[in-house]
Amino acid sequence: MEKIVWDQSFSVGVQKIDKQHKKLIDMINQLIDAENPSVRSEAVSDTLMDMTDYATYHFQAEEELMQEYQYPHLDRHHLQHMDFIRKTAELATDTVELQQTVPAELLSFLKNWLVSHILESDMRYKDFFDTKGGS
Ligand code: FEO
């Protein structure tokens, strides 16, 4: 599976958010990179858990910014964040319980969700924050 490559098209115009997105991408890339990633491998389990924790931290930071600038689509955006955490937790639990290798389904989900969320949903607040001077 090809790794995610961050380029300027991923920039939402807010430095601290771009930095957090880069870190999330790095964490997902680490999972993609791991050869035949087994959930028995402590490194892979830790990365999965760290990635979920960091995603939660990032979503909170992003939503606080939306609140501060009274972004009108905060509720809808929040639901998307919750959905990601729920789905990731479900897939990760299934994987750990069945003691399988990290399934391609989980890796594709993480990769596709993050890329489309940044490029479509997050990108919708770029112009809004620009006009509020939030960078
Ligand atoms: Fe950057 Fe909405 O997550």
Side-chain angles (χ1 to χ4, degrees):
M1 186 179 297
E2 286 194 17
K3 291 198 283 186
I4 309 168
V5 180
W6 195 94
D7 61 28
Q8 211 47 37
S9 70
F10 280 82
S11 175
V12 295
V14 182
Q15 269 183 5
K16 86 168 179 189
I17 299 290
D18 282 347
K19 211 170 148 190
Q20 293 172 5
H21 285 158
K22 284 180 190 169
K23 181 158 178 173
L24 276 172
I25 287 172
D26 279 348
M27 289 170 128
I28 291 175
N29 282 342
Q30 273 178 46
L31 289 169
I32 291 173
D33 232 5
E35 219 173 291
N36 195 17
S38 160
V39 289
R40 294 180 193 205
S41 147
E42 220 169 88
V44 171
S45 307
D46 286 354
T47 306
L48 252 182
M49 204 174 294
D50 288 350
M51 196 278 303
T52 311
D53 285 349
Y54 193 76
T56 305
Y57 163 78
H58 162 64
F59 294 157
Q60 276 170 357
E62 199 174 75
E63 289 175 25
E64 274 168 22
L65 209 58
M66 290 177 174
Q67 222 155 15
E68 189 182 332
Y69 290 104
Q70 299 181 318
Y71 182 61
H73 308 297
L74 168 59
D75 289 351
R76 200 187 315 159
H77 204 102
H78 172 68
L79 288 177
Q80 289 184 16
H81 289 165
M82 297 300 289
D83 202 45
F84 174 80
I85 295 293
R86 186 185 52 77
K87 177 89 171 153
T88 305
E90 260 175 35
L91 287 169
T93 306
D94 283 355
T95 306
V96 170
E97 277 176 0
L98 297 171
Q99 301 219 327
Q100 295 172 331
T101 54
V102 176
E105 186 198 0
L106 175 56
L107 292 177
S108 311
F109 170 76
L110 296 175
K111 178 182 169 181
N112 296 336
W113 191 93
L114 189 67
V115 168
S116 69
H117 183 76
I118 294 174
L119 295 181
E120 293 165 27
S121 301
D122 285 353
M123 214 44 80
R124 283 190 202 114
Y125 63 62
K126 186 175 193 281
D127 289 344
F128 181 83
F129 282 166
D130 272 354
T131 62
K132 303 278 181 180
S135 59

